Amino acid sequence: MSTSSRSSLSSLFILEDHQRRISNIGCLMHLIKGSIGPGLLMLPWGVRHAGIIAGPIYMVLIALINMHCMQILVKSSRYLCKKLNLSALDYGDLGYYSVLYGPIQRLQPHASKARIFVNACLVLTQFGICCVFVLFVGQNIRQVFAVYWENIPGNRVFMALLIIPVILLTLIENLPVLAWFSTAANAAILISVGMILRYLTPNLPPVTSRPFIAEITDFPLFVGGVIYAFEGIGVILPLENAMRTPEYFPKIIYIGMTMISILYIVFGFIGYLKFGSKACGSITLNLPITPFYETARILYSFALFVTYPLQFYVIMEIIRASIDQDSKLKTKYLQWTIKALIATFSCVCAIAVPSLGNYISLVGTTVTTTLAIILPAVIETLTFYEKAGTTYQPIGDVTAGDASSSDEENERNEKNEESPAYEKLRPLELCKNAFIITFGTIAVFVGSAAVLKSIILTMKHYNPEHVCSGGVAALKNTTYFNSTIRLGVDV
């Protein structure tokens, strides 16, 4: 398989550790890093749309489905690698070969479209994340400045001011530099989350003060937000491909996702218990106006801002891989132009719909649900159905190639040979996949309709001075605020 067909996420991990593969602990850290983002901070808003009791229960169910889909994605990848004599597959290639050798002959000539579809979902997911980053930074930084700046412009102005810095950030493509950015972002997120929990945990009201179950019409917003929060599906295959001991990866998935799930459930539960119906799309917007919590806002905003180029790198690598090598689009200046246009468009989308919770739910109910829930079940069904793969043709020789990579590829081939020869799916497994696909499809269509309706209502009654829009009207009675400046806005 040529490197041009690899996804950008694969190249990120492989290039960072070209000669020495990732250890088990390193893999666990990458999995956690790839899963925790702004989705964590919207979970109280998500639980608000499910109920204080129903929310955590549903989060456990979604977490179990998510973990299972990660496992069957790895299982399918290992099986096809062994059958096709390949060292590794990325998500797009996995979609391609599962259709090419799948049981539905009419689909086999269109296998290349499956790769295009998967890569398009990856690009749209990363683009949605970039929009969320811009929206989060604009609203939180605006709220920090609002304490000191009378007659401050709305959060849309702050998002517009981010266009030039964001474009400049996209010019950074040096992976070691991006790795330093990611390390700094991880530290900032860790400190910020600790500061936020310091405010959330004391003086919690009784559980009975919150609705146990929310309105059924709000449930799709919760599902989309939670699936977005479990955003690690894109790094699963790259991590497994880059591991020194990939046979332990299934256990690492269970360990890592269990840790993440516990954090998510506790954070969503406590956050909603603390703020109730006032919980914003990012819990940082609900924090009081004091230097301590202003620091928490700034740290998390810094973390998302400096990792914007890492998310953007994924988009550009997939675009570059899909462009012919001789195309004029391979020139540096035209690529810079493409970067500037996409980065600007991400800011424009954030400005157009400055509703963080709705934005996260929209991304979650569409492309993230497709990638994390629907496609893994489809791929497993196509790969292991009894009529699948009757004529596998090895398309890679893992013993061939240049001398510098032959040992590494031989090692990978030996490990693939040790993988079990999975048998055809049993009827119960087919029913399980049918349930997952049905659940995901309903979530996409019903969730998208619910989110769009919520966006329309939010924009109809949009108030830039509302606390969930980066305003400070509801926070202005705090001691620190009163000792600093009064903005003269009506509560």
Side-chain angles (χ1 to χ4, degrees), residues 390-431:
T390 55
T391 56
Y392 282 111
Q393 297 294 326
I395 47 143
D397 184 0
V398 293
T399 62
D402 56 67
S404 62
S405 61
S406 60
D407 291 340
E408 183 179 295
E409 290 178 337
N410 279 329
E411 180 183 353
R412 171 64 64 168
N413 188 41
E414 291 173 2
K415 289 171 181 175
N416 282 334
E417 289 297 329
E418 296 172 1
S419 299
Y422 297 103
E423 299 178 357
K424 66 180 182 180
L425 290 178
R426 296 184 291 271
L428 187 61
E429 292 174 310
L430 287 172
C431 292

Short mmCIF file of all heavy atoms in Angstrom, two decimals, residues 390-431:
data_model
loop_
_atom_site.label_atom_id
_atom_site.label_comp_id
_atom_site.label_asym_id
_atom_site.label_seq_id
_atom_site.Cartn_x
_atom_site.Cartn_y
_atom_site.Cartn_z
N THR A 390 -14.40 -14.65 -0.78
CA THR A 390 -14.16 -15.97 -1.37
C THR A 390 -12.95 -15.98 -2.28
O THR A 390 -12.39 -17.04 -2.54
CB THR A 390 -15.41 -16.41 -2.16
OG1 THR A 390 -15.74 -15.40 -3.13
CG2 THR A 390 -16.59 -16.61 -1.22
N THR A 391 -12.54 -14.82 -2.76
CA THR A 391 -11.39 -14.75 -3.68
C THR A 391 -10.45 -13.63 -3.25
O THR A 391 -10.24 -12.66 -3.99
CB THR A 391 -11.86 -14.49 -5.13
OG1 THR A 391 -12.66 -13.30 -5.14
CG2 THR A 391 -12.66 -15.66 -5.65
N TYR A 392 -9.87 -13.73 -2.07
CA TYR A 392 -8.90 -12.74 -1.63
C TYR A 392 -7.67 -12.80 -2.51
O TYR A 392 -7.12 -13.88 -2.77
CB TYR A 392 -8.50 -12.99 -0.17
CG TYR A 392 -9.50 -12.53 0.84
CD1 TYR A 392 -10.22 -13.45 1.60
CD2 TYR A 392 -9.74 -11.18 1.03
CE1 TYR A 392 -11.15 -13.04 2.54
CE2 TYR A 392 -10.68 -10.75 1.97
CZ TYR A 392 -11.37 -11.69 2.71
OH TYR A 392 -12.29 -11.27 3.64
N GLN A 393 -7.21 -11.66 -2.97
CA GLN A 393 -6.00 -11.56 -3.76
C GLN A 393 -4.97 -10.74 -2.98
O GLN A 393 -5.17 -9.54 -2.77
CB GLN A 393 -6.29 -10.88 -5.11
CG GLN A 393 -7.24 -11.64 -6.00
CD GLN A 393 -6.66 -12.97 -6.48
OE1 GLN A 393 -5.46 -13.06 -6.69
NE2 GLN A 393 -7.50 -13.97 -6.62
N PRO A 394 -3.88 -11.36 -2.53
CA PRO A 394 -2.85 -10.57 -1.81
C PRO A 394 -2.36 -9.43 -2.68
O PRO A 394 -1.96 -9.63 -3.83
CB PRO A 394 -1.75 -11.61 -1.56
CG PRO A 394 -2.45 -12.93 -1.61
CD PRO A 394 -3.54 -12.77 -2.63
N ILE A 395 -2.40 -8.24 -2.14
CA ILE A 395 -2.02 -7.06 -2.91
C ILE A 395 -0.79 -6.38 -2.35
O ILE A 395 -0.35 -5.36 -2.84
CB ILE A 395 -3.16 -6.05 -2.95
CG1 ILE A 395 -3.71 -5.87 -1.55
CG2 ILE A 395 -4.27 -6.51 -3.86
CD1 ILE A 395 -4.12 -4.52 -1.24
N GLY A 396 -0.22 -6.94 -1.29
CA GLY A 396 0.99 -6.37 -0.70
C GLY A 396 1.92 -7.48 -0.29
O GLY A 396 1.51 -8.56 0.10
N ASP A 397 3.20 -7.23 -0.42
CA ASP A 397 4.21 -8.18 0.01
C ASP A 397 4.97 -7.56 1.16
O ASP A 397 5.81 -6.69 0.96
CB ASP A 397 5.15 -8.50 -1.14
CG ASP A 397 6.17 -9.58 -0.75
OD1 ASP A 397 6.11 -10.04 0.40
OD2 ASP A 397 7.02 -9.93 -1.60
N VAL A 398 4.65 -7.99 2.37
CA VAL A 398 5.25 -7.34 3.52
C VAL A 398 6.72 -7.66 3.67
O VAL A 398 7.41 -7.07 4.48
CB VAL A 398 4.52 -7.76 4.82
CG1 VAL A 398 3.13 -7.22 4.84
CG2 VAL A 398 4.52 -9.27 4.98
N THR A 399 7.23 -8.59 2.86
CA THR A 399 8.67 -8.87 2.90
C THR A 399 9.42 -8.07 1.86
O THR A 399 10.64 -8.08 1.82
CB THR A 399 8.92 -10.37 2.65
OG1 THR A 399 8.45 -10.70 1.35
CG2 THR A 399 8.22 -11.21 3.69
N ALA A 400 8.69 -7.37 0.97
CA ALA A 400 9.33 -6.59 -0.05
C ALA A 400 9.52 -5.17 0.42
O ALA A 400 9.01 -4.75 1.42
CB ALA A 400 8.49 -6.61 -1.33
N GLY A 401 10.28 -4.41 -0.37
CA GLY A 401 10.48 -3.00 -0.03
C GLY A 401 11.92 -2.71 0.28
O GLY A 401 12.80 -3.56 0.16
N ASP A 402 12.17 -1.49 0.71
CA ASP A 402 13.54 -1.10 0.98
C ASP A 402 14.03 -1.73 2.27
O ASP A 402 13.28 -2.14 3.14
CB ASP A 402 13.66 0.43 1.06
CG ASP A 402 12.74 1.01 2.08
OD1 ASP A 402 12.96 0.73 3.28
OD2 ASP A 402 11.80 1.73 1.69
N ALA A 403 15.35 -1.78 2.42
CA ALA A 403 15.97 -2.47 3.54
C ALA A 403 15.66 -1.81 4.86
O ALA A 403 15.61 -2.44 5.90
CB ALA A 403 17.49 -2.54 3.33
N SER A 404 15.45 -0.50 4.85
CA SER A 404 15.24 0.23 6.09
C SER A 404 13.94 -0.13 6.78
O SER A 404 13.81 0.03 7.98
CB SER A 404 15.26 1.75 5.82
OG SER A 404 14.21 2.08 4.96
N SER A 405 12.95 -0.61 6.02
CA SER A 405 11.64 -0.90 6.62
C SER A 405 11.30 -2.38 6.61
O SER A 405 10.27 -2.78 7.12
CB SER A 405 10.54 -0.13 5.88
OG SER A 405 10.50 -0.51 4.54
N SER A 406 12.15 -3.24 6.00
CA SER A 406 11.81 -4.65 5.85
C SER A 406 11.68 -5.36 7.19
O SER A 406 10.77 -6.17 7.39
CB SER A 406 12.84 -5.35 4.98
OG SER A 406 14.13 -5.26 5.58
N ASP A 407 12.58 -5.09 8.14
CA ASP A 407 12.50 -5.75 9.44
C ASP A 407 11.22 -5.39 10.16
O ASP A 407 10.56 -6.24 10.77
CB ASP A 407 13.71 -5.35 10.30
CG ASP A 407 15.01 -5.93 9.75
OD1 ASP A 407 14.94 -6.91 8.97
OD2 ASP A 407 16.09 -5.40 10.10
N GLU A 408 10.88 -4.10 10.11
CA GLU A 408 9.66 -3.64 10.77
C GLU A 408 8.44 -4.29 10.15
O GLU A 408 7.52 -4.72 10.85
CB GLU A 408 9.59 -2.12 10.64
CG GLU A 408 8.42 -1.49 11.34
CD GLU A 408 8.45 0.02 11.18
OE1 GLU A 408 9.37 0.66 11.70
OE2 GLU A 408 7.54 0.53 10.52
N GLU A 409 8.41 -4.40 8.83
CA GLU A 409 7.25 -4.97 8.16
C GLU A 409 7.18 -6.48 8.40
O GLU A 409 6.09 -7.05 8.52
CB GLU A 409 7.32 -4.66 6.67
CG GLU A 409 7.09 -3.17 6.37
CD GLU A 409 7.20 -2.86 4.89
OE1 GLU A 409 7.85 -3.64 4.16
OE2 GLU A 409 6.62 -1.85 4.48
N ASN A 410 8.36 -7.15 8.45
CA ASN A 410 8.36 -8.57 8.75
C ASN A 410 7.81 -8.84 10.14
O ASN A 410 7.06 -9.80 10.36
CB ASN A 410 9.79 -9.13 8.65
CG ASN A 410 10.19 -9.41 7.21
OD1 ASN A 410 9.34 -9.75 6.39
ND2 ASN A 410 11.47 -9.26 6.90
N GLU A 411 8.20 -7.98 11.09
CA GLU A 411 7.70 -8.11 12.46
C GLU A 411 6.18 -7.97 12.49
O GLU A 411 5.48 -8.73 13.14
CB GLU A 411 8.34 -7.06 13.34
CG GLU A 411 7.88 -7.11 14.79
CD GLU A 411 8.49 -5.99 15.60
OE1 GLU A 411 9.36 -5.28 15.07
OE2 GLU A 411 8.09 -5.83 16.76
N ARG A 412 5.68 -6.98 11.74
CA ARG A 412 4.23 -6.78 11.67
C ARG A 412 3.54 -7.99 11.03
O ARG A 412 2.49 -8.43 11.47
CB ARG A 412 3.94 -5.50 10.88
CG ARG A 412 2.47 -5.28 10.54
CD ARG A 412 1.62 -5.10 11.76
NE ARG A 412 1.99 -3.91 12.47
CZ ARG A 412 1.27 -3.38 13.45
NH1 ARG A 412 0.16 -3.97 13.83
NH2 ARG A 412 1.68 -2.31 14.08
N ASN A 413 4.17 -8.55 9.99
CA ASN A 413 3.58 -9.70 9.32
C ASN A 413 3.49 -10.91 10.25
O ASN A 413 2.50 -11.63 10.27
CB ASN A 413 4.42 -10.06 8.09
CG ASN A 413 3.75 -11.13 7.24
OD1 ASN A 413 2.55 -11.10 7.05
ND2 ASN A 413 4.55 -12.08 6.75
N GLU A 414 4.57 -11.12 11.06
CA GLU A 414 4.55 -12.23 12.01
C GLU A 414 3.42 -12.08 13.01
O GLU A 414 2.74 -13.04 13.38
CB GLU A 414 5.89 -12.30 12.73
CG GLU A 414 7.03 -12.73 11.81
CD GLU A 414 8.38 -12.62 12.52
OE1 GLU A 414 8.38 -12.26 13.71
OE2 GLU A 414 9.41 -12.91 11.88
N LYS A 415 3.18 -10.84 13.45
CA LYS A 415 2.12 -10.60 14.42
C LYS A 415 0.76 -10.79 13.79
O LYS A 415 -0.18 -11.26 14.43
CB LYS A 415 2.26 -9.20 15.02
CG LYS A 415 3.46 -9.12 15.95
CD LYS A 415 3.74 -7.70 16.36
CE LYS A 415 4.97 -7.64 17.27
NZ LYS A 415 5.35 -6.28 17.61
N ASN A 416 0.65 -10.41 12.50
CA ASN A 416 -0.62 -10.64 11.81
C ASN A 416 -0.90 -12.13 11.67
O ASN A 416 -2.03 -12.58 11.77
CB ASN A 416 -0.59 -9.98 10.43
CG ASN A 416 -0.81 -8.48 10.50
OD1 ASN A 416 -1.43 -8.01 11.44
ND2 ASN A 416 -0.30 -7.75 9.53
N GLU A 417 0.17 -12.91 11.42
CA GLU A 417 -0.01 -14.34 11.27
C GLU A 417 -0.49 -14.97 12.57
O GLU A 417 -1.14 -16.00 12.57
CB GLU A 417 1.33 -14.98 10.83
CG GLU A 417 1.73 -14.65 9.40
CD GLU A 417 0.72 -15.19 8.40
OE1 GLU A 417 0.09 -16.22 8.67
OE2 GLU A 417 0.55 -14.56 7.34
N GLU A 418 -0.10 -14.35 13.71
CA GLU A 418 -0.53 -14.88 14.99
C GLU A 418 -1.99 -14.54 15.30
O GLU A 418 -2.58 -15.09 16.22
CB GLU A 418 0.36 -14.33 16.11
CG GLU A 418 1.81 -14.78 15.98
CD GLU A 418 2.71 -14.08 16.96
OE1 GLU A 418 2.17 -13.25 17.74
OE2 GLU A 418 3.92 -14.32 16.97
N SER A 419 -2.56 -13.58 14.55
CA SER A 419 -3.94 -13.19 14.80
C SER A 419 -4.87 -14.35 14.48
O SER A 419 -4.65 -15.10 13.52
CB SER A 419 -4.31 -11.98 13.94
OG SER A 419 -3.49 -10.90 14.27
N PRO A 420 -5.95 -14.53 15.22
CA PRO A 420 -6.84 -15.66 14.97
C PRO A 420 -7.58 -15.52 13.66
O PRO A 420 -7.85 -14.42 13.20
CB PRO A 420 -7.82 -15.60 16.16
CG PRO A 420 -7.78 -14.18 16.61
CD PRO A 420 -6.38 -13.71 16.36
N ALA A 421 -7.86 -16.64 13.03
CA ALA A 421 -8.63 -16.65 11.79
C ALA A 421 -10.11 -16.57 12.18
O ALA A 421 -10.71 -17.57 12.57
CB ALA A 421 -8.34 -17.90 10.98
N TYR A 422 -10.67 -15.40 12.09
CA TYR A 422 -12.04 -15.20 12.55
C TYR A 422 -13.02 -15.92 11.63
O TYR A 422 -12.91 -15.89 10.42
CB TYR A 422 -12.35 -13.71 12.57
CG TYR A 422 -11.50 -12.95 13.54
CD1 TYR A 422 -10.44 -12.19 13.09
CD2 TYR A 422 -11.75 -13.00 14.91
CE1 TYR A 422 -9.63 -11.49 13.97
CE2 TYR A 422 -10.95 -12.30 15.80
CZ TYR A 422 -9.89 -11.55 15.32
OH TYR A 422 -9.10 -10.87 16.20
N GLU A 423 -13.98 -16.56 12.25
CA GLU A 423 -14.98 -17.29 11.50
C GLU A 423 -16.11 -16.36 11.11
O GLU A 423 -16.16 -15.20 11.52
CB GLU A 423 -15.50 -18.46 12.34
CG GLU A 423 -14.40 -19.47 12.71
CD GLU A 423 -14.93 -20.59 13.58
OE1 GLU A 423 -16.14 -20.54 13.92
OE2 GLU A 423 -14.16 -21.50 13.91
N LYS A 424 -17.03 -16.89 10.32
CA LYS A 424 -18.14 -16.08 9.87
C LYS A 424 -19.00 -15.64 11.05
O LYS A 424 -19.00 -16.26 12.12
CB LYS A 424 -18.99 -16.89 8.89
CG LYS A 424 -19.67 -18.10 9.53
CD LYS A 424 -20.50 -18.85 8.50
CE LYS A 424 -21.22 -20.03 9.17
NZ LYS A 424 -22.03 -20.79 8.21
N LEU A 425 -19.71 -14.57 10.84
CA LEU A 425 -20.57 -14.03 11.90
C LEU A 425 -21.72 -14.98 12.20
O LEU A 425 -22.35 -15.53 11.29
CB LEU A 425 -21.13 -12.68 11.46
CG LEU A 425 -20.14 -11.51 11.38
CD1 LEU A 425 -20.87 -10.27 10.88
CD2 LEU A 425 -19.51 -11.23 12.73
N ARG A 426 -21.98 -15.15 13.47
CA ARG A 426 -23.12 -15.95 13.90
C ARG A 426 -24.40 -15.12 13.79
O ARG A 426 -24.33 -13.88 13.76
CB ARG A 426 -22.92 -16.45 15.32
CG ARG A 426 -21.73 -17.40 15.47
CD ARG A 426 -21.64 -17.93 16.90
NE ARG A 426 -21.25 -16.87 17.81
CZ ARG A 426 -19.99 -16.56 18.11
NH1 ARG A 426 -19.01 -17.22 17.54
NH2 ARG A 426 -19.72 -15.60 18.97
N PRO A 427 -25.57 -15.75 13.75
CA PRO A 427 -26.83 -15.00 13.63
C PRO A 427 -26.99 -13.93 14.71
O PRO A 427 -27.48 -12.83 14.44
CB PRO A 427 -27.90 -16.09 13.76
CG PRO A 427 -27.22 -17.31 13.24
CD PRO A 427 -25.79 -17.21 13.67
N LEU A 428 -26.56 -14.25 15.95
CA LEU A 428 -26.69 -13.28 17.03
C LEU A 428 -25.81 -12.06 16.77
O LEU A 428 -26.21 -10.93 17.06
CB LEU A 428 -26.30 -13.94 18.36
CG LEU A 428 -26.54 -13.09 19.63
CD1 LEU A 428 -28.02 -12.77 19.76
CD2 LEU A 428 -26.05 -13.82 20.87
N GLU A 429 -24.63 -12.28 16.19
CA GLU A 429 -23.75 -11.16 15.87
C GLU A 429 -24.31 -10.31 14.73
O GLU A 429 -24.17 -9.08 14.73
CB GLU A 429 -22.36 -11.68 15.50
CG GLU A 429 -21.61 -12.31 16.67
CD GLU A 429 -20.31 -12.96 16.26
OE1 GLU A 429 -20.34 -13.74 15.29
OE2 GLU A 429 -19.28 -12.68 16.90
N LEU A 430 -24.95 -10.96 13.78
CA LEU A 430 -25.60 -10.21 12.70
C LEU A 430 -26.73 -9.35 13.26
O LEU A 430 -26.91 -8.20 12.85
CB LEU A 430 -26.14 -11.17 11.64
CG LEU A 430 -25.10 -11.86 10.74
CD1 LEU A 430 -25.76 -12.91 9.88
CD2 LEU A 430 -24.39 -10.82 9.87
N CYS A 431 -27.49 -9.89 14.20
CA CYS A 431 -28.56 -9.12 14.83
C CYS A 431 -27.98 -7.95 15.61
O CYS A 431 -28.55 -6.85 15.61
CB CYS A 431 -29.38 -10.02 15.74
SG CYS A 431 -30.36 -11.28 14.89
#
